[in-house]
């Protein structure tokens, strides 16, 4: 009974911070829209510094956890529905990146992610009898996505470091997702390593978010960052 209470507490806390992280993702989308309507930002600059690589693998991470949540027994509402919403917002960000850049890479990323989300929703709706197979697939997908997520965030960090500016990157998004990653790690520990170990991979995301948050401070205070911005001006 005590473990069930702790499980409910950890799950509720994680859901709360996931909702907070959804606001962080939403703030990123709002920042893109704001820059789009800013007369000082020209075509192709609305999504300046945003890494297509990073947002593509971020979508994959949300989608993988969405599938994982309905693949385990019992069905985990704490994981499934917030991650589905996050996947939709991340897909909207990819849509805005494609509208801004009009590149083959952005178009392929958008279409691939849209198809994957459709497949994930179809698996939820029509594949309830294959829970063991879905669990193996979803866990393998989470491990693969974590590796991709690490290199995706590394790409975003590298873009900021090279340019000396954060551009369209949202600080709120990093702050709120960091809070979610910490609560996800706690939830994984309560679930137990046998079932919850994939959630521990949130530590990778948390580490990269800390670095990006530091780069916001570096951008404002470092002479090196100013030199990099002047070189690109």
């Amino acid at each position: 009974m005590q473990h069930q209470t702790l499980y409910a507490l950890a799950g509720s806390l994680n859901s709360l911070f996931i909702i907070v992280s959804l606001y962080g993702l939403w703030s990123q989308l709002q920042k893109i829209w704001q820059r789009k309507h800013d007369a000082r930002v020209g075509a192709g600059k609305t999504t300046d510094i945003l890494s297509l690589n990073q947002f593509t693998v971020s979508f994959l991470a949300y989608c993988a956890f969405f599938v994982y949540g309905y693949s385990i027994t019992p069905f985990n509402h704490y994981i499934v529905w917030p991650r589905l919403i996050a996947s939709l917002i991340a897909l909207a960000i990819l849509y805005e990146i494609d509208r801004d850049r009009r590149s083959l890479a952005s178009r392929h990323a958008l279409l691939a992610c849209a198809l994957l989300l459709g497949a994930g929703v179809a698996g939820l709706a029509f594949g309830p009898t294959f829970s063991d197979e879905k669990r193996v697939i979803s866990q393998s997908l989470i491990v693969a996505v974590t590796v991709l997520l690490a290199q995706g965030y590394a790409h975003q960090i590298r873009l900021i470091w090279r340019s000396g500016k954060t551009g369209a990157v949202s600080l709120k998004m990093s702050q709120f997702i960091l809070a979610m990653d910490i609560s996800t790690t706690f939830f994984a520990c309560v679930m137990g390593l046998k079932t919850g170990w994939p959630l521990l991979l949130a530590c990778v995301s948390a580490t990269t978010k800390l670095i990006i948050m530091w780069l916001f401070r570096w951008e404002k205070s470092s002479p090196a960052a100013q030199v990099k911005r002047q070189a690109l001006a």
Side-chain angles (χ1 to χ4, degrees):
M1 181 65 69
Q2 184 177 2
H3 181 267
Q4 290 179 345
T5 302
L6 184 59
Y7 178 87
L9 175 62
S12 300
L13 185 64
N14 186 232
S15 295
L16 174 62
F17 279 106
I18 290 172
I19 292 172
V20 170
S21 77
L22 293 179
Y23 175 72
L25 268 178
W26 182 254
S27 71
Q28 176 65 79
L29 190 57
Q30 284 183 313
K31 186 166 186 177
I32 294 172
W33 289 340
Q34 180 181 351
R35 288 171 63 88
K36 185 190 297 186
H37 291 92
D38 190 337
R40 293 173 299 174
V41 178
K45 294 295 184 180
T46 300
T47 58
D48 187 34
I49 306 301
L50 290 184
S51 169
L52 174 64
N53 185 332
Q54 185 244 301
F55 279 98
T56 301
V57 295
S58 292
F59 167 85
L60 292 176
Y62 287 124
C63 192
F65 278 111
F66 162 63
V67 175
Y68 167 73
Y70 70 70
S71 299
I72 60 177
T73 303
F75 185 102
N76 197 311
H77 295 277
Y78 297 120
I79 296 175
V80 171
W81 306 119
R83 259 70 176 203
L84 176 58
I85 297 172
S87 297
L88 291 170
I89 298 176
L91 192 65
I93 292 173
L94 289 172
Y95 171 74
E96 291 295 342
I97 291 176
D98 179 57
R99 284 191 63 186
D100 183 47
R101 301 181 184 179
R102 303 289 183 182
S103 68
L104 196 60
S106 64
R107 179 57 52 84
H108 286 167
L110 175 63
L111 292 177
C113 290
L115 289 173
L116 284 173
L117 183 58
V121 173
L124 172 62
F126 303 111
T129 59
F130 301 101
S131 58
D132 290 339
E133 290 82 355
K134 287 190 297 183
R135 186 185 304 112
V136 172
I137 292 172
S138 64
Q139 289 179 348
S140 301
L141 182 60
I142 287 173
V143 173
V145 164
T146 299
V147 175
L148 293 173
L149 195 64
Q151 66 83 27
Y153 280 125
H155 184 251
Q156 181 67 82
I157 290 167
R158 188 162 59 248
L159 287 176
I160 296 173
W161 180 260
R162 287 179 176 177
S163 64
K165 59 181 180 179
T166 54
V169 178
S170 169
L171 176 60
K172 287 182 180 179
M173 184 184 72
S174 293
Q175 292 171 331
F176 292 145
I177 292 180
L178 174 63
M180 178 196 69
D181 290 335
I182 293 172
S183 68
T184 298
T185 301
F186 174 59
F187 189 27
C189 294
V190 173
M191 288 176 66
L193 293 181
K194 183 178 180 180
T195 304
W197 67 264
L199 298 180
L200 289 175
L201 297 175
C203 294
V204 175
S205 174
T207 301
T208 57
K209 287 295 180 290
L210 285 170
I211 297 173
I212 290 176
M213 288 165 60
W214 176 82
L215 285 171
F216 271 88
R217 183 176 180 181
W218 169 79
E219 174 192 24
K220 296 178 180 179
S221 61
S222 172
Q226 184 177 358
V227 170
K228 291 175 185 286
R229 290 194 298 271
Q230 290 175 346
L232 293 174

